[in-house]
Amino acid sequence: MIQNAADYDVVVIGAGPAGSTAARQAALAGLRVLIMDRDPFPRFHIGESLLPYMSGLLNQLGLLEAMRRQGHPVKSGAEFSDTTGRFHRVCFTDQGPDRFHTTFQVERSRFDQFLLDSAVEAGATVRLQSDVGDIDLAADTDPDTPHVVHYTGPDGAATQVRGSVLIDASGRTGLLSAKLGLRKPVERLKMVALYRHYTGVREESNPGWRGDVQIGNHAEGWVWAIPNSEGTLSVGSVMRKPTLRAADDREQLLSTHISRIPRIVERLGTAQSQGPARQESDFCYYADRVVGNRWFQVGDAAAFVDPIFSGGVYLAMTTGMQASVEAAAILDGSSTADESAGRFTSLYKTGYDTYFRLVQGFYEYEFDFGRLKSELPDTVDDKSVSLLLGGDFWGQANTFAAELRSVPRWDLFEPFEVHYGCPAYPELERAERTGTPATVGTA
């Protein structure tokens, strides 16, 4: 056990999904945990379409039943369509009988509050409206000195807190990446999004399946439609930056892009838009170093990927969960910082590398997933495609993931050891290893 003058065993910066998951799991492990965020809660965030593997992860975290009681729209598939109205639906039942076949569409303000509340219930201390200014990291050769986080509280007073382990979950702010100069841009994935929320959406107007996310591709980009709550639809268009710069009227540009996808237009029906179009820059980046001496970067703090396949929250929560496991191992002496760093790096990079490759393939085939899928070799089976779209980023038997990893032009990180073993379904991994049956869930 590390013995030092730390105020907390673990200090987590950022109370989004990654940070709240890390804080909750560390608190459940009996650690003294502080989670802090510069914003008050609840706070606005673009709505989120969760992956089906999120149900497996929430089940592992013991939060699935509580999540179901939140009343979020249930999602059982994803639809891909084009300007002609042709479409292909990925149904989550295709993943097989041992996985959950539904997930959720969420309002992030509610979802983030739910996760933060669960961290507090587990024993974590929370300080909101606490703006971190600087971090004094212990030297890499120092196994005991606490990290010091300098911040300004809601009363405007400057103060500091000391933590034995530091988890940076500051999202795209990337406090540690900025401090250490770690962030690298992914130039080929620079996109921008315009979006609106619509209310008065009637389910009888939906040409597809209740709760599904819709993705429509056209010549200049792709359009999403996500039912974040009953009667509400988030609709947005993602495009390359020159397309946006060339437009005289952004409201009209968004309307034009939406109008190109007949099935999304039909789903909107007579719904009314709420407020002007919002803009979100989709600046993709990564860091090759995601961990150091008793510090971890989780979720968007170290890497951000285009949200086309909705993998961000799943990756964030998975890496947050793993950081808490490694923090506990370091603090109880069962693992050295170097050993934990190796395990965390392998898991983090495998997940993000796989997802980056999926997105790069989508853009290389001009926003047309059907075309990408049609040109895959015969060794890639349909089940692997469905599983990967669902979140099977760490599956050793996934032929689609293996194909994506075989493409050198999509390399991103420096060479690393691939981690196999799904964090959402460890029961299946054990069953495959021992040859015993395992039933996780099909709800």
Side-chain angles (χ1 to χ4, degrees):
M1 172 70 75
I2 290 176
Q3 301 292 332
N4 58 37
D7 303 304
Y8 292 91
D9 297 316
V10 180
V11 173
V12 181
I13 303 173
S20 290
T21 301
R24 177 182 185 271
Q25 297 309 106
L28 288 175
L31 303 178
R32 299 171 301 151
V33 181
L34 172 67
I35 181 171
M36 54 202 311
D37 199 288
R38 67 185 179 188
D39 294 326
F41 271 54
R43 59 184 178 186
F44 174 81
H45 197 290
I46 298 177
E48 200 81 40
S49 182
L50 302 182
L51 295 182
Y53 268 48
M54 273 294 299
S55 291
L57 185 66
L58 288 166
N59 188 52
Q60 291 296 325
L61 295 170
L63 292 172
L64 182 57
E65 292 307 315
M67 183 66 181
R68 285 172 171 157
R69 292 193 295 270
Q70 294 289 306
H72 297 287
V74 175
K75 168 185 170 185
S76 59
E79 178 188 291
F80 296 87
S81 66
D82 61 17
T83 57
T84 70
R86 291 193 300 265
F87 72 94
H88 170 72
R89 182 175 188 253
V90 176
C91 181
F92 298 153
T93 57
D94 294 341
Q95 297 177 39
D98 295 326
R99 292 168 176 83
F100 291 97
H101 295 156
T102 61
T103 185
F104 307 95
Q105 313 279 18
V106 299
E107 291 179 274
R108 278 291 302 276
S109 58
R110 289 179 58 209
F111 182 61
D112 288 11
Q113 186 71 61
F114 166 74
L115 293 176
L116 180 58
D117 289 346
S118 75
V120 173
E121 290 167 6
T125 299
V126 61
R127 294 180 190 171
L128 299 178
Q129 295 178 273
S130 297
D131 191 11
V132 175
D134 195 14
I135 303 168
D136 297 331
L137 293 174
D140 284 349
T141 56
D142 185 347
D144 295 315
T145 301
H147 307 297
V148 182
V149 179
H150 302 269
Y151 70 98
T152 303
D155 60 357
T159 188
Q160 64 184 37
V161 65
R162 296 164 297 181
S164 297
V165 174
L166 180 66
I167 297 178
D168 180 6
S170 61
R172 284 189 272 179
T173 300
L175 290 170
L176 288 183
S177 274
K179 178 180 178 65
L180 301 175
L182 302 176
R183 182 166 291 182
K184 302 176 183 180
V186 184
E187 299 291 346
R188 56 187 176 272
L189 290 181
K190 283 188 176 181
M191 306 290 281
V192 65
L194 296 175
Y195 66 97
R196 301 189 193 109
H197 286 177
Y198 290 80
T199 58
V201 179
R202 301 173 64 86
E203 188 56 38
E204 55 263 34
S205 299
N206 185 1
W209 285 257
R210 187 184 188 92
D212 273 12
V213 60
Q214 289 173 301
I215 301 296
N217 70 285
H218 59 99
E220 293 182 295
W222 58 274
V223 178
W224 80 72
I226 301 172
N228 296 136
S229 60
E230 191 68 31
T232 302
L233 204 63
S234 168
V235 184
S237 176
V238 179
M239 67 205 79
R240 294 189 170 93
K241 289 185 177 180
T243 301
L244 179 62
R245 286 196 293 265
D248 296 325
D249 185 334
R250 296 186 177 191
E251 296 287 344
Q252 184 58 49
L253 178 64
L254 176 55
S255 296
T256 297
H257 284 188
I258 294 172
S259 71
R260 293 174 179 172
I261 312 300
R263 290 181 65 83
I264 291 179
V265 171
E266 186 176 352
R267 187 176 194 175
L268 281 170
T270 59
Q272 301 297 310
S273 64
Q274 299 299 298
R278 295 173 179 255
Q279 181 177 331
E280 185 81 11
S281 295
D282 184 14
F283 174 56
C284 295
Y285 55 81
Y286 70 103
D288 260 311
R289 187 184 183 196
V290 298
V291 63
N293 174 32
R294 294 179 285 112
W295 60 260
F296 302 86
Q297 296 187 88
V298 298
D300 292 352
F304 180 75
V305 196
D306 188 288
I308 169 62
F309 295 113
S310 306
V313 169
Y314 176 57
L315 287 164
M317 291 179 64
T318 299
T319 56
M321 180 176 69
Q322 187 65 29
S324 72
V325 170
E326 301 303 344
I330 292 170
L331 291 168
D332 70 15
S334 62
S335 175
T336 67
D338 285 344
E339 290 168 341
S340 285
R343 289 192 298 264
F344 182 81
T345 296
S346 177
L347 179 133
Y348 188 101
K349 287 189 175 182
T350 299
Y352 276 88
D353 175 76
T354 306
Y355 188 56
F356 263 114
R357 290 171 183 274
L358 178 63
V359 173
Q360 289 179 117
F362 176 73
Y363 282 139
E364 191 166 299
Y365 283 85
E366 296 299 321
F367 321 111
D368 188 341
F369 184 76
R371 181 182 160 208
L372 167 62
K373 185 172 180 291
S374 69
E375 297 191 19
L376 292 172
D378 292 340
T379 53
V380 177
D381 57 289
D382 288 342
K383 183 177 180 180
S384 286
V385 173
S386 181
L387 287 173
L388 189 62
L389 289 176
D392 188 29
F393 304 142
W394 294 274
Q396 187 168 11
N398 193 296
T399 56
F400 189 20
E403 177 63 23
L404 293 174
R405 293 187 190 119
S406 73
V407 182
R409 66 181 178 278
W410 295 336
D411 289 349
L412 191 69
F413 295 106
E414 293 176 359
F416 63 93
E417 182 179 352
V418 176
H419 172 94
Y420 293 118
C422 180
Y425 293 108
E427 298 94 337
L428 296 184
E429 179 185 5
R430 285 194 293 269
E432 291 171 358
R433 185 172 63 249
T434 62
T436 57
T439 299
V440 177
T442 57

